[in-house]
Amino acid sequence: MDVHGRDLRYFAAVAEELNFTRAAERLFVSQPALSKQIRMLEKQVGACLFHRDRRSVRLTVVGEALLPHARGMLAAWEAAEEAVEEARAAELHTLVIGMSTSPGRGLLPALRTRLISRYPHARPVLRQVNWADPSAGLADGSSDVAFVWLPLPDGDRYRHAVVAREPRFVALPQGHPLAARAAADREGAVDFTDLLDEPFLALPSEAGPLRDYWLALDARDGRAPRIGAVVGSAEETHEAVANGQGVVLLATGNAPLVVRDEVIAVPVRGISPSRLAVAARRDDERPLVAAYLAAAAKVGAGTS
């Protein structure tokens, strides 16, 4: 028996009004149409649901049995509709922001303020992603927008706005010979050529071109780096540097994540600056995504 929700709604209305005219008015349908639907429902259940005469309408025993179940099914469907609507609204207003580490630099509050000013009902949700995914969740769709370091693997899949351009530093144990050299340098820096023989901490191999970038392969003249350890978080990086497993390049703004407890960072000459960006999939044209990218572009350009 395939009974539609409309049939149950019509039946419940007649059962509550015990009057076809009033029930039809309540349902905004014609009385003949309502009577037809009730007859069809009775045919489906194989029994009369109402006793009808010129003066009254009464439920039959079968109608009495059906009514509480009809009400329960209608209430359940109404609850389902409300749940679906709430889920749709939440999905419409939620923006999942992926990141491998907190971007700092005042970026999150600045971008949130700009987003909310345009979309007051927007709900930004932060999502932490392992360093093995350089797209911070964009590649598999688990993030809507993401803070990423350039270059991105499969860069043509994404559009981005650069929010920070910063020199790269090298993190060293405080007692490392290069720390003393940097202290004696007029600029407090070291040359990248001084680091070529050092063991480096590397991102997981899944990071692709981003792993190569933080190893500065383009500045090594073809010399392969020595890999001291593979790291997947800021805490792992700090521990590996502190334990003498290797040195690591990092952006100026990320230095506070690693520099503490006998680990220092000094500027490096001879390599390009780092670029932190907000990115999204190129085919994602949702308004919240576009608004967040627009806000990132303004922040990156230093405009209000």
Short mmCIF file of all heavy atoms in Angstrom, two decimals, residues 20-57:
data_model
loop_
_atom_site.label_atom_id
_atom_site.label_comp_id
_atom_site.label_asym_id
_atom_site.label_seq_id
_atom_site.Cartn_x
_atom_site.Cartn_y
_atom_site.Cartn_z
N PHE A 20 -16.64 17.89 5.81
CA PHE A 20 -15.85 17.98 4.59
C PHE A 20 -15.68 19.42 4.12
O PHE A 20 -14.64 19.79 3.59
CB PHE A 20 -16.50 17.12 3.49
CG PHE A 20 -16.10 15.68 3.55
CD1 PHE A 20 -16.64 14.82 4.49
CD2 PHE A 20 -15.15 15.18 2.67
CE1 PHE A 20 -16.27 13.49 4.55
CE2 PHE A 20 -14.76 13.85 2.71
CZ PHE A 20 -15.33 12.98 3.66
N THR A 21 -16.70 20.25 4.31
CA THR A 21 -16.62 21.64 3.85
C THR A 21 -15.54 22.39 4.62
O THR A 21 -14.69 23.07 4.04
CB THR A 21 -17.98 22.34 4.02
OG1 THR A 21 -18.95 21.65 3.24
CG2 THR A 21 -17.89 23.79 3.55
N ARG A 22 -15.59 22.28 5.97
CA ARG A 22 -14.60 22.99 6.77
C ARG A 22 -13.19 22.43 6.52
O ARG A 22 -12.21 23.19 6.48
CB ARG A 22 -14.95 22.89 8.25
CG ARG A 22 -16.16 23.72 8.65
CD ARG A 22 -16.23 23.91 10.16
NE ARG A 22 -16.31 22.63 10.86
CZ ARG A 22 -17.44 22.03 11.18
NH1 ARG A 22 -18.62 22.58 10.84
NH2 ARG A 22 -17.45 20.87 11.83
N ALA A 23 -13.10 21.12 6.35
CA ALA A 23 -11.79 20.52 6.09
C ALA A 23 -11.23 21.00 4.76
O ALA A 23 -10.03 21.30 4.63
CB ALA A 23 -11.90 19.00 6.10
N ALA A 24 -12.07 21.11 3.74
CA ALA A 24 -11.63 21.59 2.43
C ALA A 24 -11.14 23.02 2.53
O ALA A 24 -10.11 23.40 1.93
CB ALA A 24 -12.76 21.46 1.42
N GLU A 25 -11.86 23.86 3.28
CA GLU A 25 -11.43 25.25 3.46
C GLU A 25 -10.10 25.32 4.18
O GLU A 25 -9.23 26.12 3.85
CB GLU A 25 -12.50 26.02 4.23
CG GLU A 25 -13.80 26.22 3.45
CD GLU A 25 -14.89 26.83 4.31
OE1 GLU A 25 -14.70 26.91 5.56
OE2 GLU A 25 -15.94 27.20 3.74
N ARG A 26 -9.94 24.49 5.17
CA ARG A 26 -8.68 24.46 5.94
C ARG A 26 -7.51 24.03 5.05
O ARG A 26 -6.38 24.52 5.21
CB ARG A 26 -8.86 23.49 7.10
CG ARG A 26 -7.61 23.16 7.89
CD ARG A 26 -8.00 22.31 9.09
NE ARG A 26 -6.92 21.47 9.54
CZ ARG A 26 -7.03 20.58 10.51
NH1 ARG A 26 -8.20 20.43 11.14
NH2 ARG A 26 -6.00 19.84 10.88
N LEU A 27 -7.78 23.14 4.14
CA LEU A 27 -6.72 22.62 3.26
C LEU A 27 -6.55 23.42 1.98
O LEU A 27 -5.64 23.13 1.18
CB LEU A 27 -7.04 21.16 2.90
CG LEU A 27 -7.03 20.15 4.05
CD1 LEU A 27 -7.68 18.84 3.62
CD2 LEU A 27 -5.59 19.90 4.52
N PHE A 28 -7.44 24.39 1.76
CA PHE A 28 -7.39 25.22 0.55
C PHE A 28 -7.56 24.36 -0.71
O PHE A 28 -6.83 24.53 -1.71
CB PHE A 28 -6.10 26.04 0.46
CG PHE A 28 -5.91 26.98 1.61
CD1 PHE A 28 -5.05 26.65 2.65
CD2 PHE A 28 -6.60 28.18 1.68
CE1 PHE A 28 -4.86 27.51 3.72
CE2 PHE A 28 -6.43 29.04 2.74
CZ PHE A 28 -5.57 28.71 3.77
N VAL A 29 -8.49 23.41 -0.65
CA VAL A 29 -8.85 22.61 -1.81
C VAL A 29 -10.36 22.62 -1.95
O VAL A 29 -11.09 23.00 -1.02
CB VAL A 29 -8.34 21.15 -1.69
CG1 VAL A 29 -6.83 21.11 -1.60
CG2 VAL A 29 -8.99 20.44 -0.50
N SER A 30 -10.84 22.20 -3.10
CA SER A 30 -12.30 22.13 -3.28
C SER A 30 -12.85 20.90 -2.56
O SER A 30 -12.14 19.90 -2.39
CB SER A 30 -12.64 22.07 -4.77
OG SER A 30 -12.23 20.83 -5.31
N GLN A 31 -14.11 20.98 -2.17
CA GLN A 31 -14.71 19.85 -1.47
C GLN A 31 -14.78 18.60 -2.35
O GLN A 31 -14.48 17.49 -1.88
CB GLN A 31 -16.11 20.20 -0.96
CG GLN A 31 -16.74 19.09 -0.15
CD GLN A 31 -18.06 19.50 0.48
OE1 GLN A 31 -18.27 20.67 0.78
NE2 GLN A 31 -18.97 18.53 0.65
N PRO A 32 -15.15 18.73 -3.64
CA PRO A 32 -15.14 17.53 -4.50
C PRO A 32 -13.76 16.87 -4.58
O PRO A 32 -13.65 15.64 -4.57
CB PRO A 32 -15.60 18.06 -5.85
CG PRO A 32 -16.41 19.27 -5.52
CD PRO A 32 -15.74 19.89 -4.35
N ALA A 33 -12.71 17.70 -4.67
CA ALA A 33 -11.35 17.15 -4.75
C ALA A 33 -11.00 16.42 -3.46
O ALA A 33 -10.37 15.34 -3.48
CB ALA A 33 -10.34 18.25 -5.02
N LEU A 34 -11.40 17.00 -2.31
CA LEU A 34 -11.13 16.35 -1.03
C LEU A 34 -11.87 15.02 -0.93
O LEU A 34 -11.30 14.01 -0.51
CB LEU A 34 -11.54 17.30 0.10
CG LEU A 34 -11.42 16.74 1.53
CD1 LEU A 34 -9.99 16.31 1.83
CD2 LEU A 34 -11.91 17.77 2.55
N SER A 35 -13.14 15.02 -1.30
CA SER A 35 -13.94 13.79 -1.24
C SER A 35 -13.33 12.70 -2.12
O SER A 35 -13.29 11.53 -1.74
CB SER A 35 -15.38 14.08 -1.66
OG SER A 35 -15.99 15.00 -0.76
N LYS A 36 -12.84 13.10 -3.29
CA LYS A 36 -12.23 12.14 -4.20
C LYS A 36 -10.99 11.50 -3.57
O LYS A 36 -10.79 10.29 -3.66
CB LYS A 36 -11.88 12.83 -5.52
CG LYS A 36 -11.23 11.91 -6.54
CD LYS A 36 -10.91 12.66 -7.81
CE LYS A 36 -10.21 11.76 -8.83
NZ LYS A 36 -9.87 12.50 -10.07
N GLN A 37 -10.15 12.34 -2.93
CA GLN A 37 -8.93 11.81 -2.32
C GLN A 37 -9.25 10.86 -1.17
O GLN A 37 -8.58 9.84 -0.99
CB GLN A 37 -8.05 12.96 -1.82
CG GLN A 37 -7.39 13.77 -2.91
CD GLN A 37 -6.48 12.94 -3.80
OE1 GLN A 37 -6.56 12.99 -5.02
NE2 GLN A 37 -5.62 12.13 -3.19
N ILE A 38 -10.28 11.20 -0.39
CA ILE A 38 -10.65 10.32 0.72
C ILE A 38 -11.15 8.98 0.18
O ILE A 38 -10.79 7.91 0.71
CB ILE A 38 -11.72 10.99 1.62
CG1 ILE A 38 -11.13 12.23 2.32
CG2 ILE A 38 -12.25 9.99 2.65
CD1 ILE A 38 -9.97 11.94 3.25
N ARG A 39 -11.95 9.00 -0.89
CA ARG A 39 -12.42 7.75 -1.48
C ARG A 39 -11.25 6.90 -1.99
O ARG A 39 -11.25 5.67 -1.85
CB ARG A 39 -13.41 8.05 -2.62
CG ARG A 39 -14.76 8.55 -2.14
CD ARG A 39 -15.81 8.46 -3.25
NE ARG A 39 -15.45 9.28 -4.40
CZ ARG A 39 -15.80 10.57 -4.54
NH1 ARG A 39 -16.51 11.18 -3.58
NH2 ARG A 39 -15.46 11.23 -5.62
N MET A 40 -10.27 7.57 -2.57
CA MET A 40 -9.10 6.84 -3.07
C MET A 40 -8.31 6.24 -1.91
O MET A 40 -7.81 5.11 -2.01
CB MET A 40 -8.20 7.79 -3.88
CG MET A 40 -8.80 8.22 -5.21
SD MET A 40 -7.78 9.42 -6.10
CE MET A 40 -6.31 8.45 -6.39
N LEU A 41 -8.21 6.97 -0.80
CA LEU A 41 -7.51 6.43 0.37
C LEU A 41 -8.26 5.22 0.93
O LEU A 41 -7.65 4.21 1.30
CB LEU A 41 -7.37 7.52 1.44
CG LEU A 41 -6.69 7.11 2.75
CD1 LEU A 41 -5.27 6.59 2.50
CD2 LEU A 41 -6.66 8.28 3.74
N GLU A 42 -9.58 5.34 1.00
CA GLU A 42 -10.39 4.22 1.48
C GLU A 42 -10.22 3.00 0.59
O GLU A 42 -10.15 1.86 1.07
CB GLU A 42 -11.86 4.63 1.55
CG GLU A 42 -12.14 5.64 2.67
CD GLU A 42 -13.57 6.14 2.67
OE1 GLU A 42 -14.15 6.29 1.56
OE2 GLU A 42 -14.10 6.38 3.77
N LYS A 43 -10.09 3.23 -0.70
CA LYS A 43 -9.86 2.12 -1.62
C LYS A 43 -8.52 1.46 -1.35
O LYS A 43 -8.39 0.22 -1.40
CB LYS A 43 -9.94 2.62 -3.05
CG LYS A 43 -9.80 1.53 -4.10
CD LYS A 43 -9.96 2.09 -5.50
CE LYS A 43 -9.84 0.98 -6.55
NZ LYS A 43 -9.98 1.52 -7.93
N GLN A 44 -7.52 2.28 -1.04
CA GLN A 44 -6.19 1.73 -0.77
C GLN A 44 -6.16 0.92 0.51
O GLN A 44 -5.51 -0.12 0.57
CB GLN A 44 -5.16 2.86 -0.71
CG GLN A 44 -4.79 3.42 -2.08
CD GLN A 44 -3.72 4.50 -1.95
OE1 GLN A 44 -3.98 5.59 -1.47
NE2 GLN A 44 -2.52 4.17 -2.39
N VAL A 45 -6.81 1.43 1.57
CA VAL A 45 -6.79 0.70 2.83
C VAL A 45 -7.80 -0.45 2.84
O VAL A 45 -7.77 -1.33 3.71
CB VAL A 45 -7.03 1.62 4.04
CG1 VAL A 45 -5.98 2.71 4.10
CG2 VAL A 45 -8.42 2.24 3.99
N GLY A 46 -8.73 -0.43 1.89
CA GLY A 46 -9.68 -1.51 1.78
C GLY A 46 -10.80 -1.45 2.79
O GLY A 46 -11.38 -2.49 3.14
N ALA A 47 -11.12 -0.24 3.28
CA ALA A 47 -12.21 -0.10 4.27
C ALA A 47 -12.67 1.35 4.29
O ALA A 47 -11.93 2.27 3.93
CB ALA A 47 -11.73 -0.52 5.65
N CYS A 48 -13.91 1.54 4.72
CA CYS A 48 -14.42 2.91 4.89
C CYS A 48 -13.78 3.54 6.12
O CYS A 48 -13.60 2.89 7.15
CB CYS A 48 -15.94 2.89 5.06
SG CYS A 48 -16.82 2.43 3.55
N LEU A 49 -13.46 4.81 6.00
CA LEU A 49 -12.86 5.54 7.11
C LEU A 49 -13.88 6.45 7.81
O LEU A 49 -13.66 6.84 8.97
CB LEU A 49 -11.69 6.38 6.61
CG LEU A 49 -10.55 5.58 5.94
CD1 LEU A 49 -9.52 6.53 5.34
CD2 LEU A 49 -9.89 4.63 6.94
N PHE A 50 -14.94 6.81 7.11
CA PHE A 50 -15.95 7.71 7.67
C PHE A 50 -17.36 7.16 7.40
O PHE A 50 -17.62 6.58 6.34
CB PHE A 50 -15.84 9.11 7.05
CG PHE A 50 -14.54 9.80 7.32
CD1 PHE A 50 -13.53 9.79 6.35
CD2 PHE A 50 -14.31 10.45 8.52
CE1 PHE A 50 -12.33 10.43 6.59
CE2 PHE A 50 -13.11 11.08 8.76
CZ PHE A 50 -12.11 11.06 7.80
N HIS A 51 -18.23 7.37 8.39
CA HIS A 51 -19.68 7.22 8.17
C HIS A 51 -20.19 8.59 7.74
O HIS A 51 -19.97 9.58 8.45
CB HIS A 51 -20.39 6.78 9.45
CG HIS A 51 -20.04 5.41 9.91
ND1 HIS A 51 -20.30 4.28 9.16
CD2 HIS A 51 -19.45 4.97 11.06
CE1 HIS A 51 -19.88 3.22 9.83
NE2 HIS A 51 -19.36 3.60 10.97
N ARG A 52 -20.85 8.67 6.58
CA ARG A 52 -21.33 9.95 6.09
C ARG A 52 -22.85 9.88 5.93
O ARG A 52 -23.39 8.88 5.46
CB ARG A 52 -20.72 10.28 4.72
CG ARG A 52 -19.21 10.17 4.62
CD ARG A 52 -18.80 10.28 3.16
NE ARG A 52 -17.38 10.18 2.92
CZ ARG A 52 -16.69 9.06 2.80
NH1 ARG A 52 -17.30 7.90 2.93
NH2 ARG A 52 -15.38 9.09 2.54
N ASP A 53 -23.51 10.92 6.33
CA ASP A 53 -24.92 11.10 5.97
C ASP A 53 -25.14 12.59 5.78
O ASP A 53 -24.19 13.38 5.85
CB ASP A 53 -25.87 10.49 7.02
CG ASP A 53 -25.66 11.08 8.41
OD1 ASP A 53 -25.38 12.30 8.51
OD2 ASP A 53 -25.76 10.33 9.40
N ARG A 54 -26.34 12.98 5.53
CA ARG A 54 -26.61 14.40 5.21
C ARG A 54 -26.32 15.32 6.41
O ARG A 54 -26.07 16.50 6.23
CB ARG A 54 -28.07 14.57 4.77
CG ARG A 54 -28.38 13.96 3.41
CD ARG A 54 -29.83 14.21 3.02
NE ARG A 54 -30.12 13.67 1.70
CZ ARG A 54 -29.90 14.33 0.58
NH1 ARG A 54 -29.39 15.55 0.62
NH2 ARG A 54 -30.17 13.77 -0.58
N ARG A 55 -26.37 14.76 7.62
CA ARG A 55 -26.25 15.63 8.79
C ARG A 55 -24.90 15.53 9.49
O ARG A 55 -24.53 16.44 10.22
CB ARG A 55 -27.37 15.29 9.79
CG ARG A 55 -28.76 15.68 9.30
CD ARG A 55 -29.81 15.33 10.33
NE ARG A 55 -29.90 13.88 10.52
CZ ARG A 55 -30.73 13.28 11.38
NH1 ARG A 55 -31.50 14.02 12.16
NH2 ARG A 55 -30.77 11.96 11.47
N SER A 56 -24.16 14.46 9.31
CA SER A 56 -22.93 14.31 10.09
C SER A 56 -21.89 13.45 9.38
O SER A 56 -22.20 12.71 8.44
CB SER A 56 -23.26 13.69 11.46
OG SER A 56 -23.72 12.36 11.29
N VAL A 57 -20.67 13.56 9.88
CA VAL A 57 -19.55 12.74 9.44
C VAL A 57 -18.92 12.15 10.71
O VAL A 57 -18.62 12.88 11.66
CB VAL A 57 -18.49 13.57 8.67
CG1 VAL A 57 -17.28 12.71 8.34
CG2 VAL A 57 -19.09 14.15 7.41
#
